[in-house]
């Protein structure tokens, strides 16, 4: 939607992601990210930590299941999504406002770690034409099979094939 605030946050998971399912069966994972700015103080020759930002994040559907299976407390992550503001009254009747992140993409930060990526076998909605609707029967496997690392096949005309993605 237009006008939404999209942000990227880099930080550490405060807890293990909590996976739940809605009554209709949709998966949702909730987790918190702590992001602490660090600056170098040249006078003392030391790194100084700033005030930490704790941001509650939620991710839905297959990504939620992937997050719950892949990420654990303490993992440094990069999360991108829509920043949301929500107001409520606490038990004492005090009005509170919280900021939360509806995550679109999340993964481990690789500046200080390594990760082995395993593609999910579950289909993604909106990921391109299906086998039954695609005119790509004669296309090379890399051009028509997203699992093989290719994009959705786009016909270029009689006898023309797209270049390999490398």
């Amino acid at each position: 939607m237009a006008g939404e605030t999209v942000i990227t946050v880099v930080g550490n998971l405060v807890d293990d992601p909590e996976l739940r399912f809605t009554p209709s069966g949709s998966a949702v994972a909730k987790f918190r990210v702590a992001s602490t700015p660090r600056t170098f103080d040249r006078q003392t020759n030391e790194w100084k930590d700033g005030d930490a930002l704790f941001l509650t994040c939620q991710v839905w559907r297959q990504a939620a299941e992937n997050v719950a299976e892949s990420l654990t407390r303490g993992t440094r992550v990069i999360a991108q999504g829509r920043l949301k503001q929500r107001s409520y009254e606490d038990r004492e009747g005090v009005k509170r406002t919280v900021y939360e992140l509806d995550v679109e993409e999340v993964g481990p930060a690789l500046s200080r770690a390594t990760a082995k990526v395993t593609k999910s076998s579950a289909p993604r909605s909106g990921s391109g034409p299906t086998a039954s609707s695609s005119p790509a029967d004669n296309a090379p496997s890399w051009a028509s099979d997203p699992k093989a690392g290719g994009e959705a096949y786009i016909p270029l005309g009689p006898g023309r094939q797209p270049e390999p993605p490398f």
Side-chain angles (χ1 to χ4, degrees), residues 18-37:
E18 179 183 335
L19 181 64
R20 293 188 177 184
F21 292 88
T22 65
S24 64
S26 293
V28 60
K30 186 176 178 181
F31 56 93
R32 288 190 318 139
V33 175
S35 181
T36 306

Side-chain angles (χ1 to χ4, degrees), residues 23-64:
S24 64
S26 293
V28 60
K30 186 176 178 181
F31 56 93
R32 288 190 318 139
V33 175
S35 181
T36 306
R38 292 190 106 195
T39 55
F40 188 74
D41 186 341
R42 292 178 191 232
Q43 292 176 341
T44 63
N45 213 24
E46 294 178 335
W47 286 96
K48 304 261 183 186
D49 287 342
D51 293 332
L53 167 71
F54 290 88
L55 193 57
T56 299
C57 305
Q58 63 183 10
V59 62
W60 291 83
R61 298 175 191 75
Q62 184 62 46

Side-chain angles (χ1 to χ4, degrees), residues 144-166:
S144 60
D145 183 8
K147 292 181 199 151
E151 297 296 322
Y153 174 70
I154 301 171
L156 298 176
R160 294 184 57 203
Q161 297 293 325
E163 292 295 317
F166 45 81

Side-chain angles (χ1 to χ4, degrees), residues 3-138:
E4 292 184 330
T5 304
V6 176
I7 67 166
T8 302
V9 63
V10 179
N12 297 328
L13 291 185
V14 176
D15 300 307
D16 287 336
E18 179 183 335
L19 181 64
R20 293 188 177 184
F21 292 88
T22 65
S24 64
S26 293
V28 60
K30 186 176 178 181
F31 56 93
R32 288 190 318 139
V33 175
S35 181
T36 306
R38 292 190 106 195
T39 55
F40 188 74
D41 186 341
R42 292 178 191 232
Q43 292 176 341
T44 63
N45 213 24
E46 294 178 335
W47 286 96
K48 304 261 183 186
D49 287 342
D51 293 332
L53 167 71
F54 290 88
L55 193 57
T56 299
C57 305
Q58 63 183 10
V59 62
W60 291 83
R61 298 175 191 75
Q62 184 62 46
E65 295 183 48
N66 295 346
V67 163
E69 184 176 322
S70 305
L71 303 176
T72 58
R73 178 180 185 254
T75 302
R76 189 156 184 84
V77 297
I78 302 170
Q80 182 178 40
R82 294 177 311 279
L83 187 64
K84 302 287 184 176
Q85 175 181 315
R86 183 172 55 86
S87 296
Y88 67 96
E89 277 190 27
D90 66 12
R91 292 180 180 153
E92 289 80 34
V94 177
K95 189 169 184 170
R96 304 274 184 184
T97 300
V98 294
Y99 296 93
E100 299 172 329
L101 188 64
D102 284 340
V103 174
E104 291 291 324
E105 297 288 341
V106 61
L110 300 178
S111 60
R112 297 184 203 116
T114 61
K116 180 173 172 57
V117 177
T118 305
K119 291 188 179 183
S120 173
S121 60
R124 284 191 60 181
S125 62
S127 63
T130 62
S132 62
S133 65
S134 174
D137 293 335
N138 296 324

